[in-house]
Amino acid sequence: MQRIIRGGLTLQRNILFNVQKSQIIRQQHFKASVVVPASATATATATAEATEDISRPTKVFDTNRDRQFNMNSNRLFAQELLEKITENTNNLPPPIFTEKCCEFYKQLDREGKLEFFDVLSKEFDVDRENAVKQAKDYIQAGNSNNAVQIEKNLQYYLEPKYNIFLDRIHQLPNGLKFLADMRADLLDIMGSRGSVTYNEYFSLEQGIRLKIKKYVIGFLKLERITWEKSSASLLEKICSYEAVHQVKDWKDIKRRLGPDRRVYAFFENNIPNEPLVFVHVALLPTMANSVQAILNAPNPTKQDSNLSNFKYAICYSITTQQGLGGINLGNYLIKQAVDDLQKQFPLLQVFATLSPMPGFRQWLNNHVDDDPTIQAEFDQIKDWKNVGFNSRDQEVLKDPLMRLCSRYILSEKRIGNNALDPVANFHLRNGACAHQIHWQADISEKGIRDSFGIMINYNYITDRLESNHRLYQKNGTISISEPNDNEESWLSKWIIRK
């Protein structure tokens, strides 16, 4: 027993010695920009540079592999750490190596993170050389006794080695949050779809996305955020993360949590104070046609808060952390929020949204000069681009812009026959109907800049969600539920005109 204890202590000392050694080497030979992430109030940046210039840095870990020492220090340090974390041995590496790698990553600037992702995607990707060899052996093996083992070997070489690294991170406290932030950094670095950088790191980004989805789905917990019970730190995160309608102050967030309002969020069990995705809902007596009317509404009286007054539940904002985009968390959240609201308010008749159209104005600006059908809408309006949206002259733009907005929502498609507008694509993919577009529904600076102030309702008709979803996924069919008694049925008019 004493021999075992002494052996364990010796192993522990060796691990600590290696970590201390890596810290000393890091301080002496490596350069890194230290960036403190932006908070709601300030951003701090500091840069630390090494004082010695040594052209051949000492190895941090002995990996028994030849090294090309023309790599810069950050790249070498990242590669050494990642190799230690993902090495193929019977013993799991201690968490301290993974923690060290995360600390190292957080210190990197944009260029350093790009280099880190380059190491991950190239040095820790699928082992294609061995995979090809095993595939040939597998074909030749046929039904022999070796076939099963060769198949296992092939599966091993076909899995990217960086998956081991991602699994190790997820095992750490707040590991999921780190992975989400890391993916957000990668998406920012990749840039626009189809660019050289985007294509180069697409496989790595998708690998991280699928891992996060695996970690999250099945471990989500729905909670209602309240002014009375939610912690101040959680409310602060709801304010700072809000991506659709900025929260102005504490009075503003308190109003959004009032008796005629609801905020729901999804949390993961291991990070209970980190909202992964959250939705704001207004309980109203009529369909919403102005987000300012929702945001600036006075506190309700007792009579206003009567449950019988709530006929419409209007989702006016949904925010997903950037690194969790594409995992459909918003879809799950809306459905669970609707279920909870139906239980609380059985008299609710309509579940809908008041949604922005963030790409409308950009689409119009990009196509107006080379599309005669768009130009024809403005034949009678001189210098339409400079008409002020806070002036009396703006009414002359209403009819042409509402017609073009209907075309944008219903007819403009991306690859795959889905709606071009990202918010439209999200709700239509969930099975919602395009309901009605509204003029001057968001007169904020952002609303005017993005969509000339036009917004749209998407109607979640519960017994039509599945059929709408299937039709949209199959051929891009968009269902409309526009009210029949409304003179401004712009969506229906566009369909008839088309």
Side-chain angles (χ1 to χ4, degrees), residues 21 111-112 116 205 266 286 309 423 428 444 457:
K21 179 180 177 183
E111 289 301 316
F116 185 91
E205 185 275 321
F266 266 150
T286 59
N309 291 333
V423 177
L428 296 171
S444 68
N457 304 122

Side-chain angles (χ1 to χ4, degrees), residues 419-487:
L420 178 64
D421 186 81
V423 177
N425 182 54
F426 170 78
H427 290 295
L428 296 171
R429 192 179 64 225
N430 293 344
C433 301
H435 182 65
Q436 192 173 10
I437 58 175
H438 301 285
W439 180 249
Q440 291 187 322
D442 183 2
I443 57 174
S444 68
E445 181 181 348
K446 183 176 183 293
I448 299 298
R449 182 180 67 245
D450 290 349
S451 62
F452 304 97
I454 305 172
M455 299 186 78
I456 182 171
N457 304 122
Y458 295 101
N459 194 359
Y460 279 75
I461 304 173
T462 52
D463 59 356
R464 291 174 56 182
L465 294 179
E466 278 302 318
S467 59
N468 289 344
H469 167 76
R470 284 196 301 269
L471 287 171
Y472 183 71
Q473 291 290 85
K474 183 179 179 180
N475 52 27
T477 299
I478 297 175
S479 300
I480 298 176
S481 65
E482 204 164 35
N484 297 324
D485 58 347
N486 194 307
E487 294 182 0

Side-chain angles (χ1 to χ4, degrees), residues 131-324:
V132 169
K133 180 179 180 300
Q134 292 295 320
K136 292 178 180 178
D137 292 345
Y138 185 63
I139 293 172
Q140 295 174 359
N143 294 324
S144 67
N145 295 333
N146 295 332
V148 174
Q149 184 59 47
I150 295 174
E151 183 178 341
K152 290 181 179 179
N153 294 341
L154 178 59
Q155 290 173 344
Y156 171 79
Y157 289 121
L158 285 174
E159 183 175 9
K161 199 174 180 182
Y162 55 67
N163 277 352
I164 301 173
F165 169 63
L166 302 179
D167 288 334
R168 298 281 189 266
I169 289 180
H170 183 242
Q171 293 166 4
L172 297 176
N174 295 317
L176 179 64
K177 172 63 174 170
F178 180 88
L179 287 175
D181 291 343
M182 188 170 72
R183 179 172 177 246
D185 291 337
L186 179 56
L187 288 169
D188 179 57
I189 288 172
M190 288 169 65
S192 60
R193 185 183 298 269
S195 66
V196 174
T197 309
Y198 182 93
N199 293 333
E200 186 173 2
Y201 298 107
F202 177 75
S203 294
L204 174 62
E205 185 275 321
Q206 287 294 292
I208 299 174
R209 182 185 72 84
L210 291 174
K211 278 291 185 181
I212 293 176
K213 185 173 183 178
K214 176 185 175 182
Y215 301 144
V216 168
I217 301 303
F219 296 95
L220 294 174
K221 181 173 62 173
L222 179 72
E223 286 187 16
R224 179 186 165 194
I225 310 299
T226 67
W227 180 259
E228 294 79 12
K229 295 183 179 180
S230 300
S231 67
S233 62
L234 176 56
L235 294 179
E236 187 176 11
K237 288 179 180 178
I238 295 292
C239 294
S240 61
Y241 292 172
E242 170 61 30
V244 185
H245 302 294
Q246 183 179 4
V247 179
K248 294 181 291 187
D249 49 35
W250 283 107
K251 183 179 179 180
D252 186 6
I253 188 63
K254 185 176 183 180
R255 177 64 190 95
R256 299 191 193 194
L257 300 171
D260 57 343
R261 301 287 188 266
R262 293 293 184 273
V263 177
Y264 293 99
F266 266 150
F267 297 86
E268 203 262 349
N269 292 335
N270 292 329
I271 42 176
N273 205 43
E274 188 66 41
L276 306 180
V277 55
F278 54 91
V279 61
H280 292 257
V281 179
L283 303 174
L284 302 172
T286 59
M287 178 65 77
N289 59 11
S290 166
V291 73
Q292 273 73 41
I294 292 176
L295 296 174
N296 300 329
N299 290 313
T301 63
K302 288 186 177 180
Q303 184 177 356
D304 294 333
S305 300
N306 191 311
L307 299 186
S308 62
N309 291 333
F310 300 148
K311 307 294 184 183
Y312 291 76
I314 305 298
C315 162
Y316 62 93
S317 172
I318 183 165
T319 296
T320 302
Q321 290 198 29
Q322 185 182 1
L324 298 174

Side-chain angles (χ1 to χ4, degrees), residues 321-344:
Q321 290 198 29
Q322 185 182 1
L324 298 174
I327 304 179
N328 295 331
L329 295 184
N331 179 16
Y332 300 133
L333 177 61
I334 287 177
K335 290 179 178 178
Q336 289 204 24
V338 168
D339 288 342
D340 188 72
L341 288 168
Q342 284 180 318
K343 294 173 183 176
Q344 290 188 51

